[in-house]
Amino acid sequence: MRRSRFSPAGQRTALTYALLGVFLFIAVMPFVGIVLTAFKTTAELANSPFALPKAWRWENFVAAWEGARFAAYFQSSVLVVVPVVVISTILATLSGFAFGMYRFPGDSLLLLIILLGLMVPFEAVIIPLWQIMGDLGLRNTYWALILPQVALSFAFGTFWMRANFKNLPTELVDAAVVDGCTTWDVLWRVLFPLSRPAILSLVVLLFMWTWNEFFLVLVMASGDLRTLPVGLALLRGRYATDVPVMAAASVMVLLPVLVVYIFFQRQFIQGMIAGALKS
Amino acid sequence: MTGGTEAGLKPASSTLGTRLAARLRGGGRPFARPYQAYLFLLPGLAVYVVFVLIPIFGTFRYSFFDWTGFSPPTFIGLANYVELTRDADFWKAIGNNAFFVIFYTLIPILLGLFLTSLMTRGRLRGLVIFRTGLFLPQVMSPVVVGIIWRWLFALDGPINELLRAVGLAAWARPWLGDFTFAPYAVGVVGSWVQYGLCMVLFIAGAQSIDEELYDAARVFGANAWQQFRHVTLPGLRQQILVAFVLTFIAALRVFDLVFVLTRSGGPGKQTLVTSILVYQQTFNRNRAGYGAAIAVVMTLIIVLVSVVVLRLQARDEARDAAITV
């Protein structure tokens, strides 16, 4: 049973689609524009900013990768993001397990203290952090970028994994304990397989946040230690005024998150919404 | 199963504590040996304490000192805070943050509600595509968003080209360099980033509103607007609160977008915001103590807003629970 195109309801639906289409266009078009620009020459961009590039040229990407040092920034990004995501996920899974499955003296107080980490911006910790990193001799090393992000990700991850463990059926755990499983067995063999969806969402969210992190890296890193967003924002010299090269560099920053987002958009959106509702 | 319950019955002062305690009293936790919990918690907590908790107190402490960041700090009491009250830059930045709340919070919530009202009635096909696309700006690096919009707003950029093409050449201008229009231009980018988030939140909320409420409203002769006003809107109360707190915090925290769009707050101080001021005072002018004082004020506002909204939300939930009972 199809609604007639001319019925009031059909008109309404058509209007809805049209309006949504306009908003979708506004949301997506700037990204499409930057990708197209990345393949154009400067002259081509000036003459026809809205057209498709005449040829799919990769020179701008080469210029950004080699000339503007984006190879180094890319390496930095990977060397920071991978440890942050892996370490935070492990630490948060363990602490989420503790908060979700045990009760112990001070648990609600500790949880409140960790809740603070969900609210504070990096601005609130950056000055002492800079000092601490100097004292530890870690300033201008990857650790100065990794450890603070692990600490803040741990706060979010703890709440995330705690919610996950609390929602798992306790009967399974009880049964496993009766069967004589050790705590570690319960966590690793019983609960971990059930927690995979939650862990996947956590990994995806932490990946995005760490990849896009700007303020901490801006303060803590210089030279080739900079990650992609900071390298891009601080790009100076002849490439900084070359819009197609800037566009190619921007695409390099976007692409990894974009690929992950398209594959895991459900985890992204539900994760950010659920994370917001819970915290 | 309740073996461990007497271990930690604490006075629950907060809603979080109350809820936690209720959970714990109701269902038991499966494990009765609390020392194990500490072992699981310890590694993460250690990192958290060293790199978040101690620095928070450090920032608070430094805000009472005159300190370059290098020399030994000198205690000056509340002098930094007194200076803040007279600092025109600080008030300008706070004012700009407040101005951005219109674009980060108000407009996205209204747009989100409008789009949700369109989409709530009747099943739409391709919802996933719209959702994925509209949420995209929220996921992408703010630095790249800034670079894209700097290009869109440039004097010879697409927006001005478009104006010239339709005969509005007089309107063409370097939007981000214009004293009057720069704050609006930055604000528009903020709205563009946030409205998808609001919309996705509201749609998720609207899907859980009982269809019978709409049927009932129709029986009483409610038109589309009245249905939205009296069914959809109250049903989305929770989601609006969440959208409010998220976007409000984003408006107060905004750093990277402004850093890239107007090269740290220009023209003049027209788009200067608090977080940029913290950065400039601390790392460009070597006034770490003063920067810390600004950071403390900024953090207090954020925490205060979060706590107030969390309270509102908790009260809402309590009321809903009371109604259900």
Side-chain angles (χ1 to χ4, degrees):
Chain A
M1 274 243 299
R2 284 183 72 110
R3 275 183 190 156
S4 159
R5 201 172 296 170
F6 302 104
S7 71
Q11 278 172 12
R12 235 190 103 97
T13 312
L15 182 69
T16 305
Y17 275 116
L19 273 163
L20 278 175
V22 169
F23 278 94
L24 183 67
F25 179 83
I26 294 171
V28 174
M29 200 51 214
F31 295 112
V32 177
I34 200 90
V35 173
L36 295 182
T37 305
F39 288 98
K40 291 178 181 173
T41 63
T42 320
E44 214 182 330
L45 181 69
N47 294 331
S48 50
F50 303 108
L52 286 175
K54 288 197 194 73
W56 297 95
R57 313 160 66 254
W58 293 91
E59 283 92 311
N60 296 320
F61 289 92
V62 176
W65 188 255
E66 285 169 2
R69 303 212 55 77
F70 272 75
Y73 303 147
F74 192 88
Q75 186 192 337
S76 270
S77 275
V78 172
L79 286 179
V80 170
V81 169
V82 172
V84 168
V85 172
V86 171
I87 298 171
S88 311
T89 304
I90 294 171
L91 295 182
T93 305
L94 294 178
S95 70
F97 178 65
F99 280 116
M101 288 288 165
Y102 289 86
R103 54 186 331 241
F104 47 93
D107 51 4
S108 44
L109 178 69
L110 282 170
L111 208 57
L112 270 179
I113 290 172
I114 295 175
L115 180 69
L116 196 62
L118 290 186
M119 298 189 219
V120 298
F122 261 123
E123 283 86 346
V125 293
I126 197 74
I127 298 164
L129 266 185
W130 198 72
Q131 191 71 12
I132 291 170
M133 290 305 170
D135 292 346
L136 295 174
L138 295 177
R139 217 180 276 160
N140 252 318
T141 68
Y142 287 120
W143 291 110
L145 309 181
I146 294 169
L147 289 169
Q149 298 200 75
V150 168
L152 275 189
S153 307
F154 167 78
F156 176 82
T158 296
F159 275 86
W160 186 258
M161 293 311 296
R162 168 180 165 268
N164 164 66
F165 284 120
K166 291 197 98 155
N167 289 333
L168 293 179
T170 36
E171 294 78 25
L172 273 173
V173 179
D174 296 335
V177 171
V178 170
D179 285 348
C181 283
T182 64
T183 310
W184 191 251
D185 280 340
V186 173
L187 173 60
W188 186 242
R189 304 226 171 126
V190 182
L191 297 179
F192 179 74
L194 293 171
S195 306
R196 261 187 217 142
I199 292 174
L200 177 66
S201 295
L202 182 62
V203 166
V204 162
L205 289 174
L206 293 182
F207 166 74
M208 171 189 65
W209 286 327
T210 314
W211 186 269
N212 291 344
E213 175 55 36
F214 184 74
F215 189 74
L216 178 81
V217 182
L218 177 71
V219 171
M220 291 287 176
S222 59
D224 285 353
L225 224 58
R226 286 176 185 145
T227 57
L228 282 169
V230 177
L232 180 62
L234 296 183
L235 194 61
R236 295 286 181 268
R238 71 187 161 112
Y239 293 116
T241 51
D242 189 326
V243 173
V245 173
M246 287 290 274
S250 299
V251 171
M252 289 180 198
V253 181
L254 291 182
L255 203 61
V257 175
L258 190 67
V259 170
V260 175
Y261 175 63
I262 287 171
F263 273 103
F264 297 102
Q265 57 90 14
R266 211 165 46 85
Q267 276 82 359
F268 262 87
I269 296 174
Q270 283 174 357
M272 283 177 78
I273 291 174
L277 288 169
K278 269 174 225 151
S279 56
Chain B
M1 206 164 89
T2 49
T5 37
E6 64 273 51
L9 254 172
K10 307 192 66 66
S13 53
S14 66
T15 42
L16 190 74
T18 324
R19 238 178 287 161
L20 198 68
R23 277 301 282 258
L24 292 173
R25 270 192 297 275
R29 296 289 117 216
F31 298 110
R33 278 167 294 178
Y35 71 90
Q36 277 186 338
Y38 293 119
L39 285 179
F40 285 118
L41 196 54
L42 199 63
L45 200 62
V47 179
Y48 179 76
V49 167
V50 174
F51 296 104
V52 175
L53 211 55
I54 292 177
I56 289 177
F57 289 110
T59 304
F60 190 63
R61 201 174 70 88
Y62 284 134
S63 73
F64 300 106
F65 284 83
D66 180 26
W67 185 43
T68 60
F70 307 98
S71 60
T74 329
F75 183 77
I76 53 167
L78 289 170
N80 283 328
Y81 291 97
V82 173
E83 191 187 336
L84 263 188
T85 61
R86 302 191 197 119
D87 184 346
D89 283 3
F90 173 70
W91 290 111
K92 179 76 190 163
I94 290 274
N96 284 338
N97 278 120
F99 176 77
F100 287 147
V101 168
I102 300 172
F103 286 92
Y104 269 75
T105 306
L106 198 65
I107 293 175
I109 288 180
L110 291 177
L111 269 178
L113 283 173
F114 172 67
L115 289 169
T116 307
S117 73
L118 284 178
M119 296 170 75
T120 38
R121 317 314 341 280
R123 286 259 162 267
L124 285 176
R125 291 151 81 71
L127 193 65
V128 175
I129 291 173
F130 289 115
R131 206 179 59 169
T132 307
L134 289 168
F135 203 71
L136 192 64
Q138 190 70 186
V139 176
M140 301 282 90
S141 154
V143 171
V144 175
V145 168
I147 286 189
I148 293 176
W149 281 90
R150 211 169 67 194
W151 168 62
L152 291 175
F153 278 132
L155 189 57
D156 55 354
I159 289 176
N160 285 325
E161 290 295 330
L162 209 65
L163 286 173
R164 289 185 192 107
V166 298
L168 289 169
W171 278 84
R173 64 193 73 220
W175 296 94
L176 290 166
D178 188 289
F179 243 74
T180 312
F181 288 100
Y184 293 94
V186 174
V188 163
V189 183
S191 299
W192 179 77
V193 171
Q194 300 294 352
Y195 82 83
L197 172 79
C198 294
M199 194 199 86
V200 169
L201 262 170
F202 298 156
I203 289 175
Q207 282 169 344
S208 61
I209 297 176
D210 196 339
E211 196 60 33
E212 284 175 20
L213 288 174
Y214 289 104
D215 296 338
R218 269 193 297 268
V219 168
F220 286 105
N223 61 29
W225 162 249
Q226 287 166 330
Q227 287 176 36
F228 177 73
R229 170 71 188 79
H230 296 287
V231 180
T232 313
L233 210 53
L236 291 177
R237 210 175 39 217
Q238 288 279 327
Q239 282 74 21
I240 293 171
L241 275 178
V242 168
F244 177 83
V245 81
L246 284 180
T247 53
F248 192 88
I249 289 177
L252 294 182
R253 287 174 74 153
V254 57
F255 180 85
D256 22 20
L257 205 55
V258 173
F259 189 92
V260 174
L261 275 176
T262 59
R263 303 231 185 253
S264 304
K269 306 248 151 76
Q270 289 301 88
T271 59
L272 181 72
V273 286
T274 329
S275 57
I276 297 270
L277 202 58
V278 173
Y279 179 76
Q280 287 176 344
Q281 289 290 348
T282 307
F283 298 104
N284 296 345
R285 298 196 199 147
N286 295 329
R287 298 196 61 200
Y290 192 56
I294 304 172
V296 166
V297 173
M298 185 182 154
T299 308
L300 280 181
I301 297 175
I302 290 175
V303 171
L304 209 70
V305 170
S306 312
V307 168
V308 166
V309 176
L310 278 176
R311 277 282 154 84
L312 277 178
Q313 206 182 342
R315 213 178 54 190
D316 246 31
E317 269 171 22
R319 196 173 55 195
D320 288 351
I323 292 167
T324 330
V325 170

